[in-house]
């Protein structure tokens, strides 16, 4: 583990606020530009997080009114460029390649009994791989070397835990040694190796010719190794850092403390007390009827969650009158549209029985807002706390409801039909599997044995796959059979498979045959982690952005839906890793995460807690507050509409009961933050998606329809208004959708027939409706459709 770097420069501390990062740093950038002769090439802007580089660059150019393009790179990318200059022979592994190399090291390692038992679990390789990845990004495990460790047989329980970490450190060292033998490097080693490279005089001279000033933004997310890189890089040039207070969500997983504590030697310029700081304006929201612009809808909610305040820049709540006044005895005027007064921030709540119904309600609300305001799909974001499960499930539900989705991460390999096709092709070459042939036959027109064998290129898996792709016109088939957003993802996944195949062809330690390719592909599918492929915030496909809250840390959308705002997620239970019990991890100071914080650590990291409130639960409280901050980051991304979304059970009546997040309760208890529940379909929301239509149809009980028929046939009065509205809305959705499964249309027609009192026709045959009293009495159900 590296030591605290000696950073020399200036740190600009911004308040927790919403809005464009480029706009907030524009004045600071302009000042740096003036000191560099006005040439954008001489100011290197390093963004800590790799997301949204192109978008940030374009926005900074506009905000600073530049003619040329600012010199912006992510910090990891710049370190990679330094390493390419210093060691051009080095090849950095892709994610799938890392999995395969590491698996070989893990399989041959002489494990202690504890890890030997753990290795029997299917997830062992993935779990170990994640811990090693986290450790490498942070400079390694901070544990005492074996030679300096206490003698065996002591009663020091911590020594046993350190022994486990030393074992993992040994595995990591063996892994990196194996890579070094072949001039390979994993991505997480890049920054550490670049620091070493900058100590070489020739490399430093070459790199320093490229800039005169370094501006590091998102400094609040810079970990110890990142700060060491900045210190080494700027040894002979000026350094300006810009960090946002109360905003770190990545660094705080591995390191406690506020942004002001990261580099004590930096001169601090404090912008948090500036009431109208030009460097920190909010992005304007919707234009009101009076022509004025309102601030972003999620700003007050984000401020409350991050700082404990509810409204202004200093974290205080706007107005504190207990009787609905403004705190000075004045009555506050209410907004007639929402019931909220002008000093209240306003958000909506979607609450449904199950997780899937929650997502279906979100889809319907998106379509409602599109119809109401004319917003495009790319103006919406659906955010979860984490990128992993249940994100693929959320995307599928949205897509099945007819809402196109896009994500900054590549979709999992397992769900991709093109990946399944290429996997089946490889499997057929291995064992002539009938199942594999049938899958290929279903995907490829006019398939035969000659076609399969004609695509084989001797001694090259990659070239064989490429020939198959061209011969069977796979890219055209993907484009023809798949929505544009999904097609782009399938193209990326096909590229990933070709990279795996090229790796199999090029490494002499691998067998270089179809068996090796399938083994590596199946391992990649098993360990596939969407977060590993995150590349950009912008989603040019034009769909609804689906991702984790950190994806929009310095970006925004017109409407933001925060999913799963339940206690099981916000804050949830922090386990850090399945490899060890949490009780053990709490005592592992060398683990690559915050494991043993003091009450003071928690209080200095988060403004929402006092040290006196923490009594023996510092670990839990630390990570609970981190979850609260993540919710704050997601909330502040909403420009005009913010939705908190909850569900009661995961899967119907057998699912685990969920309760609304304690942080949502805190919001509801705040007198100046208003959350109003969105009523379900059939009340203040019509049906706007196929998912809502199908759900509503299935929700119509046959016994209720029979009651209506019976009542109508005897001349009684029947209240049909709600049924009319529901069925009319369903029919409107069907009429406006171009692609609807014919089986679904027939199911809807059957329900319409039943509502009219008609005899159900035989399958595939439509019969004239009987002219009965029942049909006459219920005709109004569909007359207005």
């Amino acid at each position: 583990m590296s030591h605290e770097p000696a950073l020399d420069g200036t740190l600009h501390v911004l308040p927790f606020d919403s809005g464009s990062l480029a706009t907030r740093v524009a004045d600071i950038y302009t000042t740096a530009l003036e000191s560099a002769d006005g040439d954008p090439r001489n100011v290197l802007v390093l963004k800590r997080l790799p997301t949204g580089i192109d978008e940030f660059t374009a926005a900074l150019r506009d905000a600073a009114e530049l003619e040329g393009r600012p010199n912006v790179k992510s910090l990891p990318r710049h370190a990679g460029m330094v390493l390419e200059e210093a060691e051009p022979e080095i090849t950095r592994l892709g994610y799938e390649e890392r999995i395969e190399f590491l698996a070989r090291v893990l399989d041959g390692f002489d494990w202690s009994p504890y890890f030997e038992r753990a290795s029997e679990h299917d997830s062992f390789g993935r779990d170990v791989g994640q811990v090693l990845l986290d450790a490498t990004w942070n400079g390694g495990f901070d544990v005492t070397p074996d030679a300096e460790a206490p003698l065996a047989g002591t009663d020091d329980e911590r020594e046993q835990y350190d022994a486990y970490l030393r074992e993992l450190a040994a595995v990591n060292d063996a892994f990196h040694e194996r890579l070094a033998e072949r001039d390979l490097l994993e991505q997480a080693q890049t920054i550490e190796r670049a620091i070493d490279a900058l100590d070489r005089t020739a490399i430093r001279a070459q790199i320093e010719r490229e800039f005169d000033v370094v501006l590091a933004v998102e400094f609040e997310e810079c970990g110890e190794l990142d700060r060491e890189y900045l210190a080494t890089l700027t040894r002979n040039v000026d350094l300006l850092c810009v960090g946002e207070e109360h905003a770190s969500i990545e660094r705080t997983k591995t390191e406690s403390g506020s942004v002001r504590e990261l580099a004590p030697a930096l001169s601090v310029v404090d912008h948090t007390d500036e009431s109208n700081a030009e460097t920190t304006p909010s992005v304007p929201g919707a234009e009101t009827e009076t022509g004025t612009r309102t601030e972003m809808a999620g700003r007050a909610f984000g401020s409350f969650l991050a700082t404990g305040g509810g409204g202004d820049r200093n974290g205080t709540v706007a107005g504190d009158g207990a009787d609905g006044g403004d705190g000075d005895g004045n009555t506050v005027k209410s907004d007639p549209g929402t019931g909220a007064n002008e000093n209240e921030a306003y958000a909506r709540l979607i609450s449904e029985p199950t997780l899937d119904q929650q997502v279906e309600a979100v889809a319907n609300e998106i379509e409602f807002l599109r119809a109401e305001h004319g917003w495009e799909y790319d103006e919406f974001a659906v955010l979860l706390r984490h990128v992993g499960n249940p994100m693929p499930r959320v995307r599928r539900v949205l897509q099945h409801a007819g809402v196109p989705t896009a994500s900054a991460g590549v979709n999992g390999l397992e769900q991709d039909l093109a990946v399944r096709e290429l996997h089946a092709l490889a499997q057929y070459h291995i064992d002539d599997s009938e199942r594999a042939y049938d899958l290929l036959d279903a995907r490829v027109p006019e398939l035969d044995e000659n076609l399969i064998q004609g695509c084989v290129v001797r001694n090259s898996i990659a070239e064989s796959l490429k020939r198959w792709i061209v011969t069977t016109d796979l890219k055209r088939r993907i484009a023809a059979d798949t929505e544009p957003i999904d097609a782009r993802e399938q193209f990326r996944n096909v590229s990933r498979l070709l990279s795996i195949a090229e790796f199999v062809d090029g490494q002499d330690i691998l067998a270089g045959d179809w068996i090796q390719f399938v083994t590596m592909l199946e391992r990649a599918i098993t360990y596939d982690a969407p977060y590993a492929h995150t590349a950009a915030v912008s989603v040019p496909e034009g769909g609804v952005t689906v991702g984790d809250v950190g994806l929009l840390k310095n970006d925004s959308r017109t409407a933001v839906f925060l999913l799963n705002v339940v206690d099981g997620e916000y804050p949830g239970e922090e386990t850090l890793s399945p490899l060890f019990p949490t009780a053990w991890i709490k005592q592992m100071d060398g683990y690559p995460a915050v494991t043993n914080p003091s009450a003071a650590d928690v209080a200095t990291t988060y403004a929402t807690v006092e040290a006196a409130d923490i009594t023996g639960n510092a670990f839990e409280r630390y990570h609970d507050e981190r979850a609260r901050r993540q919710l704050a980051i997601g909330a502040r991304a909403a420009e005009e509409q913010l939705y908190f979304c909850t569900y009661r059970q995961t899967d119907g009546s057998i699912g685990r009961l969920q309760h609304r997040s304690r942080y949502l309760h805190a919001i509801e208890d705040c007198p100046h933050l208003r959350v109003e529940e969105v009523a379900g379909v059939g009340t203040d929301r019509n049906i706007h998606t196929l998912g809502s239509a199908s759900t509503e149809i299935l929700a119509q009980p046959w016994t209720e329809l029979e009651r209506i028929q019976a009542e109508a046939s005897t001349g009684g009065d029947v209240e049909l208004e709600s049924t009319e509205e529901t069925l009319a809305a369903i029919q409107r959705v069907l009429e406006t959708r171009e692609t609807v499964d014919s089986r679904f249309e027939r199911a809807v027609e059957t329900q319409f027939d039943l509502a009219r009192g008609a005899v159900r026709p035989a399958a595939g045959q439509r019969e004239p409706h009987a002219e009965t009293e029942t049909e006459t009495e219920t005709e109004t159900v569909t007359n207005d459709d």
Side-chain angles (χ1 to χ4, degrees):
M1 181 74 73
S2 58
H3 299 288
E4 182 68 22
L7 281 170
D8 181 18
T10 303
L11 170 62
H12 293 264
V13 179
L14 306 183
F16 182 91
D17 203 357
S18 52
S20 164
L21 177 63
T23 302
R24 302 181 73 195
V25 304
D27 285 354
I28 301 170
Y29 174 78
T30 300
T31 301
L33 194 62
E34 292 171 354
S35 68
D37 299 326
D39 189 342
R41 292 173 297 181
N42 293 335
V43 179
L44 173 62
V45 181
L46 293 181
K47 186 175 181 292
R48 173 57 191 91
L49 302 179
T51 54
I53 296 296
D54 291 340
E55 298 75 33
F56 173 71
T57 303
L60 183 59
R61 175 181 176 177
D62 293 341
E65 299 180 346
L66 298 178
E67 293 184 2
R69 178 184 175 90
N71 182 14
V72 179
K73 294 178 176 64
S74 73
L75 191 151
R77 172 58 184 149
H78 187 268
M81 293 174 61
V82 170
L83 196 58
E84 289 168 5
E85 182 74 27
E87 302 181 71
E89 73 282 1
I90 292 291
T91 299
R92 279 179 288 171
L93 292 177
Y95 180 68
E96 293 80 14
E97 297 160 357
R98 175 186 183 270
I99 290 173
E100 185 61 26
F101 256 99
L102 181 59
R104 289 173 173 267
V105 173
L106 299 184
D107 290 344
F109 197 78
D110 184 17
W111 293 104
S112 66
Y114 176 80
F115 284 115
E116 186 68 36
R117 290 191 298 272
S119 67
E120 297 174 2
H121 296 277
D122 293 339
S123 63
F124 178 74
R126 181 183 63 222
D127 297 337
V128 170
Q130 186 57 54
V131 173
L132 299 187
L133 187 65
D134 291 342
T136 303
W137 274 117
N138 287 281
F141 292 93
D142 189 13
V143 290
T144 305
D146 276 317
E148 302 173 20
L151 295 176
T154 66
D155 58 356
D156 186 358
E157 194 174 42
R158 286 179 181 269
E159 165 53 23
Q160 181 61 55
Y161 303 143
D162 281 350
Y164 293 144
L165 294 183
R166 279 196 294 272
E167 190 169 358
L168 291 177
V171 173
N172 214 24
D173 290 342
F175 174 46
H176 292 159
E177 288 169 6
R178 177 76 68 90
L179 297 182
E181 292 171 358
R182 300 183 170 276
D183 288 332
L184 298 173
L185 196 76
E186 69 166 320
Q187 298 284 352
Q189 294 176 275
T190 303
I191 295 176
E192 190 170 28
R193 289 286 284 272
I195 292 172
D196 294 338
L198 286 171
D199 284 334
R200 294 160 54 182
T201 303
I203 298 301
R204 170 171 293 283
Q206 175 66 30
I207 298 301
E208 286 182 347
R209 281 199 290 266
E210 300 176 3
F211 52 84
D212 297 326
V213 181
V214 172
L215 174 62
V217 300
E218 297 178 328
F219 185 69
E220 73 277 1
E221 299 292 15
C222 287
E224 189 174 335
L225 201 60
D226 305 317
R227 299 195 298 272
E228 185 173 351
Y229 180 76
L230 289 174
T232 307
L233 180 68
T234 60
R235 194 172 295 163
N236 300 315
V237 300
D238 292 337
L239 171 65
L240 299 175
C241 301
V242 182
E244 185 180 7
E245 201 164 40
H246 313 306
S248 172
I249 55 176
E250 297 295 333
R251 176 188 59 82
T252 49
K253 181 178 180 181
T254 58
E255 179 185 54
S256 64
S258 70
V259 65
R260 298 171 187 270
E261 299 174 313
L262 297 185
L266 289 176
S267 300
V268 175
V269 179
D270 194 336
H271 298 275
T272 60
D273 292 329
E274 300 173 12
S275 58
N276 292 297
E278 293 183 1
T279 55
T280 59
S282 292
V283 169
E287 189 166 303
T288 65
E289 294 179 359
T290 62
T292 60
R293 304 288 288 181
T294 62
E295 69 176 23
M296 291 178 66
R299 179 176 177 271
F301 290 90
S303 177
F304 171 76
L305 288 165
T307 71
D312 67 21
R313 292 185 188 278
N314 299 318
T316 58
V317 178
D320 57 2
D323 58 355
D326 62 1
D328 294 321
N330 301 315
T331 302
V332 179
K333 183 179 178 181
S334 293
D335 183 325
T338 66
N341 67 54
E342 61 188 19
N343 281 345
E344 286 180 328
Y346 178 73
R348 284 184 172 273
L349 172 69
I350 289 177
S351 181
E352 294 293 334
T354 68
L355 187 151
D356 286 0
Q357 287 174 295
Q358 167 200 216
V359 181
E360 289 167 359
V362 167
N364 197 68
E365 189 71 8
I366 288 172
E367 296 295 358
F368 166 76
L369 293 173
R370 279 172 41 78
E372 187 83 0
H373 302 290
W375 296 339
E376 299 296 331
Y377 284 118
D378 59 9
E379 296 182 71
F380 296 88
V382 178
L383 304 179
L384 297 96
R385 185 184 170 197
H386 302 291
V387 174
N389 288 330
M391 187 167 291
R393 177 176 176 180
V394 168
R395 295 192 68 190
R396 286 196 299 273
V397 173
L398 289 172
Q399 290 166 348
H400 290 166
V403 174
T405 68
S407 174
V410 178
N411 230 6
L413 294 172
E414 186 177 13
Q415 306 299 327
D416 194 318
L417 294 178
V419 170
R420 292 183 185 180
E421 177 181 320
L422 297 179
H423 177 271
L425 176 67
Q427 193 64 50
Y428 182 75
H429 282 302
I430 293 173
D431 57 11
D432 294 328
S433 167
E434 182 177 345
R435 181 183 177 197
Y437 186 91
D438 289 343
L439 192 152
L440 294 173
D441 190 36
R443 293 270 301 170
V444 181
E446 302 179 0
L447 179 76
D448 59 27
E449 184 66 21
N450 291 333
L451 174 63
I452 295 175
Q453 298 304 328
C455 293
V456 175
V457 177
R458 188 176 181 182
N459 297 327
S460 178
I461 303 300
E463 292 303 319
S464 298
L465 292 178
K466 290 176 183 177
R467 182 173 291 184
W468 172 270
I469 290 169
V470 172
T471 304
T472 65
D473 212 359
L474 176 59
K475 291 188 176 181
R476 184 200 61 78
R477 288 188 284 120
I478 291 174
D481 300 337
T482 314
E483 292 296 323
I485 293 174
D486 295 329
R488 288 175 66 95
E489 292 195 355
Q490 288 194 31
F491 291 151
R492 287 195 290 262
N493 283 340
V494 169
S495 295
R496 290 172 66 189
L497 260 67
L498 290 176
S499 295
I500 292 174
E502 290 168 354
F503 187 72
V504 169
D505 287 344
Q507 292 296 323
D508 55 15
I509 63 168
L510 303 180
D513 56 16
W514 289 107
I515 294 177
Q516 178 65 67
F517 172 73
V518 168
T519 300
M520 190 168 172
L521 174 56
E522 289 179 348
R523 205 184 319 259
I525 291 173
T526 301
Y527 293 173
D528 196 33
Y531 60 80
H533 316 294
T534 298
V537 172
S538 179
V539 280
E541 300 94 333
V544 172
T545 301
V546 181
D548 68 316
V549 292
L551 183 63
L552 296 186
K553 184 171 187 285
N554 288 302
D555 203 348
S556 62
R557 293 292 186 270
T558 304
V560 171
F561 296 82
L562 298 174
L563 290 188
N564 302 348
V565 187
V566 295
D567 234 28
E569 191 74 11
Y570 294 101
E573 182 177 350
E574 188 63 62
T575 57
L576 294 182
S577 172
L579 281 176
F580 305 109
T582 300
W584 292 13
I585 289 180
K586 288 181 181 180
Q587 301 182 62
M588 292 179 174
D589 291 334
Y591 189 89
V594 176
T595 61
N596 189 27
S598 66
D601 290 334
V602 183
T604 57
T605 307
Y606 305 105
T608 47
V609 63
E610 298 288 342
D613 297 333
I614 302 171
T615 55
N617 63 338
F619 174 87
E620 289 79 6
R621 192 61 182 270
Y622 183 93
H623 291 286
D624 286 357
E625 294 300 322
R626 181 170 175 268
R628 174 172 175 151
R629 183 175 287 180
Q630 288 174 300
L631 190 62
I633 294 295
R636 76 173 186 180
E639 295 173 8
E640 296 190 27
Q641 295 276 7
L642 172 63
Y643 290 81
F644 295 99
C645 308
T646 70
Y647 65 95
R648 290 186 288 279
Q649 289 176 302
T650 307
D651 295 296
S653 60
I654 62 173
R656 179 182 176 184
L657 187 64
Q658 300 287 339
H659 301 281
R660 289 184 184 179
S661 169
R662 64 194 69 177
Y663 307 132
L664 184 53
H665 285 300
I667 288 171
E668 293 169 331
D669 290 340
C670 180
H672 300 284
L673 298 178
R674 183 181 179 88
V675 180
E676 182 176 299
E677 186 164 354
V678 177
V681 170
T683 52
D684 72 339
R685 286 292 182 270
N686 288 328
I687 295 173
H688 292 272
T689 65
L690 288 173
S692 297
S694 60
T695 299
E696 193 64 24
I697 290 169
L698 295 174
Q700 299 294 324
W702 288 71
T703 54
E704 179 66 13
L705 293 174
E706 290 172 354
R707 183 192 65 78
I708 292 174
Q709 294 177 44
E711 192 72 25
S713 65
T714 58
D717 295 329
V718 182
E719 297 290 339
L720 291 179
E721 286 78 4
S722 63
T723 304
E724 291 175 11
E725 292 174 1
T726 298
L727 296 178
I730 292 170
Q731 186 158 327
R732 281 195 299 272
V733 171
L734 295 177
E735 289 172 351
T736 56
R737 295 289 177 171
E738 296 179 358
T739 56
V740 180
D741 193 305
S742 59
R743 294 170 297 175
F744 180 71
E745 287 189 285
R746 287 196 297 272
V748 174
E749 289 170 354
T750 299
Q751 293 283 27
F752 284 173
D753 292 338
L754 181 59
R756 294 189 184 99
V759 177
R760 182 177 181 180
Q765 179 183 356
R766 297 286 297 174
E767 296 181 356
H769 298 305
E771 295 294 336
T772 65
E773 184 178 358
T774 302
E775 183 177 359
T776 303
E777 292 291 333
T778 61
E779 188 64 29
T780 56
V781 172
T782 55
N783 278 348
D784 295 333
D785 289 358

